[in-house]
Amino acid sequence: AQSVSQHNHHVILSEAASLELGCNYSYGGTVNLFWYVQYPGQHLQLLLKYFSGDPLVKGIKGFEAEFIKSKFSFNLRKPSVQWSDTAEYFCAVNRRGYQKVTFGIGTKLQVIP
Amino acid sequence: GAGVSQTPSNKVTEKGKYVELRCDPISGHTALYWYRQSLGQGPEFLIYFQGTGAADDSGLPNDRFFAVRPEGSVSTLKIQRTERGDSAVYLCASSLDTGGVYNEQFFGPGTRLTVL
């Protein structure tokens, strides 16, 4: 069965600091990878996704993630965070050809002005 | 256009009671998903519908949980003999026809179920 590990459960950063959230998955086959974000009081929404091709994926609001197949990793990055990035971030994976998505436990990011 | 809607937004019930949670997907989305999110956890897959049929129900925890989608649009998640451990936020998502390829899932606001 596939699983997703997020290493940081709670991250506190000052504005303009750089962000990197770790994500590793366990499935050895072909996968699709996602980062979802949930802003306070809002629905889960897709931040970015990787299906194939360039392993460096750019998403909304200046976020990017890099797929490193040899490390089974899909870390999320942002060079300079803003207070409005305060949210919970979920890494997720699904096996290619299947619709079931497995989510990580989530990382709560708090950005201090 | 409207997003995925879920009713009720909050449901408080007593242990042993029956509950129904409703999901209204985005118009035109043939795929519908239910997830459960317990406190401090990520969403956990329960069931996936393609049209009216359950294409994957491997995430339903036991036979107290059942979901239907009789006309291929609105779906109802039914929980019998509720237990305190069923307390969670139940999320619904929908997507376009997958055709074997993943399509982005759009999530609703969830129903917070509390079993006393």
Side-chain angles (χ1 to χ4, degrees):
Chain A
Q2 63 206 32
S3 66
V4 178
S5 297
Q6 291 185 241
H7 315 301
N8 319 97
H9 295 170
H10 198 174
V11 173
I12 302 173
L13 293 174
S14 298
E15 273 193 316
S18 65
L19 170 72
E20 181 159 2
L21 301 182
C23 173
N24 287 90
Y25 64 95
S26 66
Y27 182 65
T30 304
V31 295
N32 299 320
L33 295 156
F34 311 90
W35 277 97
Y36 281 83
V37 61
Q38 187 166 26
Y39 297 102
Q42 296 189 24
H43 310 176
L44 265 175
Q45 59 184 280
L46 186 66
L47 195 57
L48 48 76
K49 61 183 183 282
Y50 172 80
F51 287 175
S52 64
D54 188 344
L56 185 61
V57 179
K58 295 195 183 296
I60 60 173
K61 303 186 180 183
F63 286 90
E64 65 179 31
E66 184 175 13
F67 170 48
I68 303 179
K69 188 173 181 180
S70 61
K71 295 184 177 180
F72 298 88
S73 71
F74 191 56
N75 292 355
L76 180 70
R77 300 194 293 248
K78 185 170 183 179
S80 176
V81 294
Q82 301 173 313
W83 176 78
S84 58
D85 293 325
T86 295
E88 191 159 16
Y89 294 80
F90 295 91
C91 182
V93 63
N94 84 302
R95 290 172 58 185
R96 189 70 57 80
Y98 292 81
Q99 299 308 309
K100 174 180 176 178
V101 176
T102 300
F103 285 79
I105 197 170
T107 297
K108 289 184 180 174
L109 171 65
Q110 184 179 356
V111 180
I112 300 170
Chain B
V4 177
S5 62
Q6 293 186 244
T7 54
S9 55
N10 279 285
K11 176 70 177 178
V12 180
T13 191
E14 292 179 344
K15 181 175 176 295
K17 299 291 188 183
Y18 168 83
V19 296
E20 289 189 350
L21 311 179
R22 175 189 167 108
C23 172
D24 207 332
I26 293 172
S27 178
H29 282 191
T30 57
L32 185 145
Y33 314 78
W34 283 100
Y35 294 84
R36 177 172 68 176
Q37 187 172 15
S38 301
L39 193 63
Q41 303 293 318
E44 173 193 8
F45 172 84
L46 295 177
I47 187 170
Y48 152 59
F49 286 90
Q50 182 59 268
T52 60
D56 183 351
D57 65 358
S58 62
L60 293 178
N62 51 59
D63 61 6
R64 295 187 298 104
F65 288 75
F66 189 70
V68 296
R69 196 186 185 199
E71 298 177 357
S73 178
V74 171
S75 175
T76 305
L77 178 65
K78 307 181 181 194
I79 311 174
Q80 298 177 321
R81 306 182 305 280
T82 52
E83 299 178 356
R84 293 195 179 88
D86 299 335
S87 296
V89 175
Y90 289 81
L91 297 169
C92 178
S94 69
S95 72
L96 293 169
D97 185 354
T98 61
V101 177
Y102 180 86
N103 281 303
E104 178 181 348
Q105 297 182 20
F106 293 84
F107 283 82
T111 293
R112 182 175 299 277
L113 174 67
T114 303
V115 182
L116 301 176

